[in-house]
Amino acid sequence: MAEQEVPRDVFEQFPAEIKSQLSGLRAILHSVAADLQLGDVEESLKWGQPSYAVAGGSPVRIFWSAQSPGICCLYFICSTKLVDTFRELHSDTLSFQGNRAIELRVDAPLPELALRQCLQLALTYHSIKHLPLLGA
């Protein structure tokens, strides 16, 4: 599917509590990229979902669906070791969807510390993918 820039109002289609959660995830992702000095975060739409990428990292998509109204997800490329590593590190804090996503309850605060570590691993994936537990 063709890639396109994320419209500024992409989250406007969602209910207020969902919009807040997705905006919070986006802010954490941008903060991690800035803290690591990874350069500009490329924002685009892939499969109709906001996608975020930096050079040397694995793309991250964030989304919510009315089919699963109680959760929003961070999606990762399923052929990476990312979600398996996240599960090893944070199974006490995070919930997962197979080898492709972190599931977050919309009625709970974001587990920011765990998410920051997961996003750090995703955004630096290509330089750490050879390390046990991605160097965590």
Side-chain angles (χ1 to χ4, degrees), residues 46-59:
K46 293 187 180 174
W47 301 280
Q49 300 172 345
S51 178
Y52 304 88
V54 296
S58 183

Side-chain angles (χ1 to χ4, degrees), residues 70-91:
I71 62 167
C72 62
C73 292
L74 285 167
Y75 292 101
F76 304 89
I77 295 175
C78 60
S79 60
T80 67
K81 299 182 222 174
L82 288 166
V83 174
D84 287 339
T85 301
F86 304 159
R87 187 178 281 110
E88 185 78 21
L89 297 171
H90 297 292
S91 61

Side-chain angles (χ1 to χ4, degrees), residues 1 6 16 21 23-24 31 56 85 101 106 112 116 132:
M1 175 168 238
V6 176
Q21 185 105 347
S23 294
S31 173
T85 301
V106 298
E112 188 169 344
R116 288 185 71 80

Side-chain angles (χ1 to χ4, degrees), residues 60-117:
V60 178
R61 290 179 291 122
I62 60 176
F63 200 63
W64 172 85
S65 168
Q67 294 175 340
S68 298
I71 62 167
C72 62
C73 292
L74 285 167
Y75 292 101
F76 304 89
I77 295 175
C78 60
S79 60
T80 67
K81 299 182 222 174
L82 288 166
V83 174
D84 287 339
T85 301
F86 304 159
R87 187 178 281 110
E88 185 78 21
L89 297 171
H90 297 292
S91 61
D92 59 332
T93 308
L94 300 173
S95 297
F96 303 94
Q97 189 181 93
N99 62 348
R100 63 185 298 246
I102 294 172
E103 295 181 335
L104 300 161
R105 296 206 44 82
V106 298
D107 61 355
L110 291 172
E112 188 169 344
L113 291 177
L115 290 174
R116 288 185 71 80
Q117 183 180 36

